[in-house]
Amino acid sequence: MSDLTPEEIEEGTIAALLERLTHRRLPNLLALKEQLERGESLQELQLEFLERVLHDANLSEEFWERHPELQEIAAKMVDLYHDITELALAVEEAELAKGGPRGTSNS
C-alpha cells in the first residue's frame, strides 16, 4: 500500500463524509422530518440515531471549519436537525396534551 499525502487523506475524508451524508444521513433525516410532519412521534431507535448524528457533528466541527467550501452543507444540516428537534418537541407536546403516552399513535 502506498503512503498517502495529508492532502490525499483529507480528500478521502471529504469524499467519505459526503458519501455518508448523501446516501445515509440525509435520507434518514428527511424521512424523520416527514414522519414528524405527519404528527407521528419518534421511536427510541430514531432518537438514538439523532443523538449519534449530533455527536458526530460535534466531533467533526473542526473538520468543517477547515473546509469553508463545505460550511454551507454543514449549516443546512444544522438547520435540518433543528427543524427535526422542534417538530419532535411539538409532536411530543401534542401527544401529552391529548393524554397519550410517548411513542404511541393516537390515530
Side-chain angles (χ1 to χ4, degrees):
M1 184 172 193
S2 66
D3 291 329
L4 299 175
T5 66
E7 293 80 19
E8 292 170 327
I9 293 170
E10 195 78 357
E11 288 174 13
T13 301
I14 291 170
L17 283 173
L18 291 176
E19 171 76 18
R20 180 171 57 175
L21 179 67
T22 303
H23 295 288
R24 292 188 218 159
R25 294 282 169 94
L26 185 57
N28 287 331
L29 289 169
L30 292 173
L32 292 181
K33 185 176 180 192
E34 289 173 10
Q35 177 180 333
L36 290 164
E37 288 172 339
R38 292 189 304 266
E40 300 171 19
S41 63
L42 299 180
Q43 303 303 310
E44 192 62 35
L45 285 175
Q46 293 167 316
L47 293 171
E48 290 172 12
F49 169 74
L50 284 175
E51 288 175 12
R52 202 167 45 251
V53 169
L54 182 59
H55 179 265
D56 289 353
N58 286 332
L59 290 176
S60 302
E61 187 175 350
E62 182 181 310
F63 175 82
W64 294 111
E65 289 175 2
R66 283 196 318 266
H67 294 281
E69 72 276 15
L70 301 175
Q71 287 180 3
E72 184 177 348
I73 294 169
K76 288 182 179 186
M77 292 302 294
V78 168
D79 289 344
L80 178 58
Y81 188 88
H82 175 76
D83 291 347
I84 289 169
T85 56
E86 290 289 316
L87 284 166
L89 180 60
V91 168
E92 198 68 27
E93 288 174 344
E95 285 187 2
L96 289 173
K98 292 179 191 176
R102 191 190 118 23
T104 61
S105 176
N106 292 326
S107 301

